[in-house]
Amino acid sequence: MADETDSPTLVFIHGSGDGAYVWEPLTQALQARRPALKLLAVDLPGHGGRIGDPGPEQVSVRDYAEDAYAELKRQGIASAYLVGHSLGGAIALTLALDHADAVRGLIIVGSGARLRVLPTILAATLERPDEAAVEVVVMGYAAGHEADARQYATNRPPNAPGMLHRDLAACDVFDMMADIERIHQPTLVIVGQQDHLTPPKFAQYLADHLHNAQLTIIPDAGHYALREQPNTVADAISTWLAEQAGDTVA
Ligand code: COA
């Protein structure tokens, strides 16, 4: 259909402890390059605009995937490119398997097929959640970007209590290593060269095992490449989308 080819919908799913707002620099950069794209950044339960709707204390990546799928249905979106960061990437990969018809393609940023979490991080998010929330973001930015990391982490809108720990606990048991080869949608895998939380090795695994994947490594960026280098990431997505549509114009 012309509409789907020329102006596809991109649905953005945030990572642990974040919210839809994490995408703002990237969605602005993308919209400037491709004004016809329809962009929708969702909040998971208890995050950002859904602070009053935290849902159950324990959730799995699959629970979150079902919540995101319900949002697609609510918005009347039959099929979209899913853009997922970290936990959001795990959610997008899960949706590509569980609701394949709803997923036209994937853009996976700083994520992986398995997302074990350092026990010290899990413990810190339980025992001293406010400090740990800042520390995790600082770990997630590349060397030299610490001021930006602190600025972002301390100014982002609040989530319901306990969200970061709940999100990371869901990541810790997420494991799709054996299932990745069953995903057939075209996929762009993006990772910051200095991503220490989901290292380039994880992205390389996705690129090697997915049927139709392309890997882009972003220099001078870490786990938050989407905020650290939004223009470079937007260029990569824009070029890849043009290739999917068979365009010659990036
Ligand atoms: N893609 C490809 N390879 C992966 C992978 C992925 N998504 N996840 C794990 N692996 C690899 C590891 O690199 C490791 O390979 P190796 O044996 O060659 O070293 C192997 O699979 C086993 O890894 P894992 O299951 O993670 O267990 P572990 O005990 O080796 O390491 C951690 C556990 C937590 C130390 C490690 O996963 C880590 O450093 N994670 C990143 C830090 C973090 O907490 N990130 C937050 C993610 S949201």
Side-chain angles (χ1 to χ4, degrees), residues 142 145 191-194 216-222 225 228-229 232-233:
H145 297 181
V191 66
Q193 196 168 30
Q194 298 179 51
T216 297
I217 299 177
I218 308 294
D220 194 24
E228 297 172 270
Q229 302 295 348
T232 312
V233 174

Side-chain angles (χ1 to χ4, degrees), residues 86 112-114 116-118 121 168 171 177 197 201-202 205:
S86 199
R114 179 163 64 212
R116 294 277 309 281
V117 179
L118 281 166
I121 294 181
L168 291 176
C171 287
M177 299 286 273
L197 292 178
K201 173 181 177 173
F202 291 11
Y205 183 92

Side-chain angles (χ1 to χ4, degrees), residues 62 92-100 176 179-180 182-183 185:
R62 182 154 274 131
L93 290 165
T94 303
L95 279 169
L97 271 185
D98 290 359
H99 296 287
M176 276 184 65
D179 298 317
I180 286 300
R182 294 198 288 121
I183 294 176
Q185 289 93 334

Side-chain angles (χ1 to χ4, degrees), residues 29-118:
L30 259 178
Q31 204 79 81
R33 285 160 178 75
R34 296 199 151 222
L37 287 177
K38 297 191 264 300
L39 309 181
L40 171 70
V42 300
D43 281 315
L44 294 169
H47 299 74
R50 294 177 67 188
I51 187 170
D53 162 33
E57 254 178 52
Q58 276 194 348
V59 294
S60 65
V61 168
R62 182 154 274 131
D63 294 333
Y64 275 147
E66 287 305 314
D67 181 89
Y69 181 64
E71 182 62 18
L72 291 188
K73 296 283 118 188
R74 261 196 302 279
Q75 298 273 349
I77 298 169
S79 170
Y81 287 94
L82 302 184
V83 190
H85 175 228
S86 199
L87 165 65
I91 294 168
L93 290 165
T94 303
L95 279 169
L97 271 185
D98 290 359
H99 296 287
D101 289 350
V103 182
R104 193 169 162 204
L106 294 166
I107 298 165
I108 304 294
V109 187
S111 191
R114 179 163 64 212
L115 295 176
R116 294 277 309 281
V117 179
L118 281 166

